[in-house]
Amino acid sequence: MSVRDKYQPVIGLEVHCQLLTQSKAFAPDSTEFGNLPNTNVSVITLAHPGALPKANKKAVEFSIKIGLALDSEINRYNYFDRKNYFYPDLPKGYQITQDKEPICKGGQVHIKTSEGEKVIKLNRIHMEEDSGKSMHINEEHDTLVDYNRAGVPLIEIVSEPDLRSSDEAYAFLTEIRKLVRYLEICDGNMEEGSMRCDANISIMKKGSTVYGKKVEVKNMNSIRNVQRAIEFEINRLIELEEAGEPIVSETRNFDAGSGTTSALRSKEELNDYRYHPEPDLQPILVSEEWLQSIKASMPALPRELLLKFTSNYGLPEYDATVLTDNKEIALYFDEICKSTSNYKAASNWMMGPVKSYLNELTLHINNFSVKPAQIADLIALIDSKKVSHSAAQQTIFPELINNPSKTPLQIAEEKNLIQESDEGMLVGIINEVISKNPAKVAEYKGGKKGVLQMFMGDVMKLSKGKADPRATSALLAKALEEA
């Protein structure tokens, strides 16, 4: 048994997602990313005396949507709290958040592991506002502050410490990102900071029920880096435990360049944030009517579509997983299936030629010129043996992209690609090919069955590629046996 096998990692994640509202959580300022510093601000963002906040209804709706998607209990009576602490990028000196009464209680996230599906329980999802951003210019002593991000609406998704490996953490974050993108409430771009994650990590001996001291790791700008940081911390904590050295409960920073973490500040003493209800905001009541209208606006979610694709369409789980990774791809595929019953062929076209073309041009499926029904028509041409698969993929599909107003059949006719399956015509070509190659016929009869491919090639040349391969192969084998 390795040293690593003696220990069980225990991981909990806190995921912050910026909500895709046009205005801030409690102010009318724009939330657009990338604007010039300190242009998305107002007297409310800058906490001028007498400026009063007003809750953003759309932010509340988005928070309820993610709660419904994650099977959380929706809190009908919501109020905001003040979390008091000073940072230069927090203009008010406090953050408006939710403490004892989050908008979503409990919930669960289904992840796929090497051992199968696992359910990760959630503690809560609460609403809050983001802080500004401090910036440090090289060789400058001063800290610059951009308040554009201050007040942007956030949700914080807090898991229970149910994760047991860095791989599970990776799967958890991937699922969260997929969900917020399906719901269109967050773009999930960790590189831009619109989705951020803090990881709480501890270790305990296998078989133990007592959690060890935890460390919190921050500053991870990709799902892969979260996985790397957790893996580094697990190994570091095990080394400390094996050496008999104390584990300090602290906040640590992750360096993506070196793949290591370093201490930021101790967590031995709990911060006293002096939470108290926000006096400037009235409680928000979520009525049954409002809740039902939000439920009615929910899109099909990845798990629902995956079940539909495997159960209704009979796809392998691998295909269904790939197709549901992106909402627009999944919906495009679903549209194809409304016009064809050859669901596997539709899946192959989506995962093959369509995705290859989109990836090559870094094109979004919404900007793809070919309609789902046209892909279904292309599949029908192949299934009816009117065109070969190679002709469809290599000639008709590219032409369809350039001329989407045409039908696949029109292109096939214009390019003279309609396969010939008339037995009389094929037999005539086959007999001509056989009569020109008596030596090869003898080789075939002598047991060299591979010669059949040579004959197939000659028939295809004489027919200018229009001979139906299946019909030709059967007729050719019969003719050679009788020759």
Side-chain angles (χ1 to χ4, degrees):
M1 176 188 284
S2 67
V3 173
R4 176 73 178 256
D5 290 336
K6 291 163 55 179
Y7 294 92
Q8 176 63 70
V10 178
I11 303 155
L13 299 180
E14 299 168 8
V15 186
H16 290 84
C17 300
Q18 284 186 353
L19 300 178
L20 284 174
T21 56
Q22 293 183 342
S23 56
K24 293 185 179 179
F26 307 107
D29 317 342
S30 171
T31 58
E32 187 174 351
F33 178 80
N35 285 356
L36 289 172
N38 297 309
T39 54
N40 296 352
V41 295
S42 66
V43 293
I44 299 176
T45 295
L46 299 176
H48 285 204
L52 293 174
K54 183 179 180 181
N56 185 329
K57 183 178 180 181
K58 186 62 71 174
V60 179
E61 289 181 0
F62 284 177
S63 304
I64 293 172
K65 277 190 171 185
I66 188 65
L68 292 172
L70 293 171
D71 299 324
S72 302
E73 175 193 344
I74 306 302
N75 187 4
R76 299 301 191 89
Y77 181 82
N78 289 270
Y79 62 86
F80 291 97
D81 299 281
R82 286 189 181 182
K83 181 181 181 181
N84 295 276
Y85 62 97
F86 176 77
Y87 278 111
D89 50 13
L90 197 65
K92 297 189 289 290
Y94 61 84
Q95 178 193 41
I96 299 178
T97 182
Q98 288 186 304
D99 180 28
K100 291 184 174 60
E101 289 295 327
I103 190 162
C104 305
K105 300 176 181 179
Q108 55 189 10
V109 178
H110 295 258
I111 65 170
K112 289 180 180 175
T113 72
S114 57
E115 298 173 358
E117 187 172 86
K118 181 176 179 179
V119 177
I120 307 300
K121 287 186 169 52
L122 298 180
N123 178 281
R124 59 191 280 147
I125 304 170
H126 63 263
M127 299 180 287
E128 59 187 20
E129 60 179 340
D130 212 342
S131 60
K133 192 174 183 180
S134 298
M135 293 175 289
H136 306 276
I137 300 174
N138 288 339
E139 300 180 5
E140 291 284 342
H141 296 293
D142 295 333
T143 296
L144 303 178
V145 182
D146 178 9
Y147 288 127
N148 279 355
R149 197 175 71 181
V152 169
L154 291 176
I155 50 169
E156 181 173 349
I157 303 169
V158 183
S159 83
E160 295 289 1
D162 286 355
L163 298 154
R164 293 294 177 262
S165 70
S166 60
D167 288 343
E168 288 186 7
Y170 186 97
F172 179 92
L173 283 172
T174 301
E175 192 62 28
I176 292 293
R177 184 175 63 182
K178 189 191 298 184
L179 272 174
V180 296
R181 286 175 172 174
Y182 261 75
L183 293 168
E184 298 180 9
I185 64 171
C186 173
D187 60 28
N189 293 333
M190 292 188 74
E191 296 79 4
E192 294 180 359
S194 54
M195 179 170 147
R196 308 193 290 276
C197 177
D198 300 335
N200 294 289
I201 308 146
S202 66
I203 58 169
M204 62 183 180
K205 288 281 182 69
K206 284 191 174 174
S208 174
T209 56
V210 180
Y211 293 162
K213 282 190 176 181
K214 70 178 180 181
V215 294
E216 182 180 26
V217 184
K218 293 179 175 286
N219 191 29
M220 297 167 287
N221 65 354
S222 72
I223 295 178
R224 172 65 181 139
N225 281 340
V226 173
Q227 185 181 33
R228 291 172 64 206
I230 291 172
E231 198 62 27
F232 177 84
E233 270 306 300
I234 291 171
N235 291 329
R236 187 185 72 86
L237 294 175
I238 290 174
E239 286 176 11
L240 289 174
E241 188 72 24
E242 285 292 300
E245 297 180 25
I247 292 174
V248 178
S249 183
E250 61 188 358
T251 300
R252 297 179 68 85
N253 178 67
F254 177 68
D255 185 306
S258 64
T260 62
T261 66
S262 57
L264 276 176
R265 56 185 176 271
S266 170
K267 294 175 75 77
E268 288 296 339
E269 293 183 11
L270 291 174
N271 292 306
D272 181 12
Y273 291 122
R274 292 176 292 120
Y275 284 103
H276 63 82
E278 167 58 68
D280 291 336
L281 285 165
Q282 291 185 332
I284 296 173
L285 302 177
V286 180
S287 67
E288 182 64 24
E289 182 183 7
W290 189 17
L291 182 60
Q292 291 304 322
S293 71
I294 295 172
K295 284 182 178 179
S297 70
M298 293 283 284
L301 297 175
R303 279 174 58 79
E304 297 170 38
L305 289 174
L306 189 133
L307 183 62
K308 179 179 182 179
F309 293 175
T310 52
S311 299
N312 295 11
Y313 298 156
L315 291 186
E317 188 162 327
Y318 173 80
D319 290 38
T321 301
V322 171
L323 291 168
T324 55
D325 186 56
N326 177 280
K327 177 184 178 181
E328 287 75 20
I329 292 286
L331 295 180
Y332 187 99
F333 168 76
D334 202 32
E335 280 297 311
I336 296 175
C337 293
K338 291 178 181 177
S339 303
T340 182
S341 58
N342 192 341
Y343 308 126
K344 179 57 178 166
S347 172
N348 292 342
W349 273 93
M350 285 303 301
M351 295 195 298
V354 174
K355 287 195 81 173
S356 294
Y357 173 77
L358 296 175
N359 291 340
E360 185 180 344
L361 296 183
T362 60
L363 197 66
H364 194 278
I365 188 73
N366 289 348
N367 299 318
F368 186 42
S369 59
V370 180
K371 303 301 179 191
Q374 291 175 297
I375 299 293
D377 288 344
L378 201 49
I379 293 168
L381 280 182
I382 300 167
D383 289 348
S384 64
K385 300 183 178 58
K386 287 185 177 178
V387 299
S388 67
H389 189 278
S390 59
Q393 185 171 328
Q394 296 168 18
T395 306
I396 300 175
F397 180 64
E399 184 67 20
L400 201 55
I401 292 170
N402 295 326
N403 295 284
S405 61
K406 294 182 178 180
T407 67
L409 179 59
Q410 286 174 327
I411 295 169
E413 290 172 341
E414 288 172 7
K415 299 288 183 181
N416 200 24
L417 296 172
I418 300 297
Q419 287 188 148
E420 184 59 68
S421 55
D422 176 73
E423 188 171 317
M425 188 277 287
L426 292 177
V427 167
I429 295 174
I430 288 168
N431 289 338
E432 182 180 345
V433 169
I434 287 175
S435 65
K436 290 179 179 178
N437 296 280
K440 293 295 180 183
V441 172
E443 286 181 22
Y444 180 84
K445 285 180 158 284
K448 290 187 177 181
K449 301 301 181 185
V451 177
L452 182 69
Q453 293 308 313
M454 185 274 298
F455 285 108
M456 277 290 292
D458 287 351
V459 172
M460 285 298 176
K461 283 179 187 176
L462 276 177
S463 69
K464 297 179 181 178
K466 295 173 66 177
D468 179 349
R470 289 186 183 180
T472 301
S473 180
L475 290 170
L476 185 56
K478 181 182 178 184
L480 284 169
E481 292 295 339
E482 295 174 352

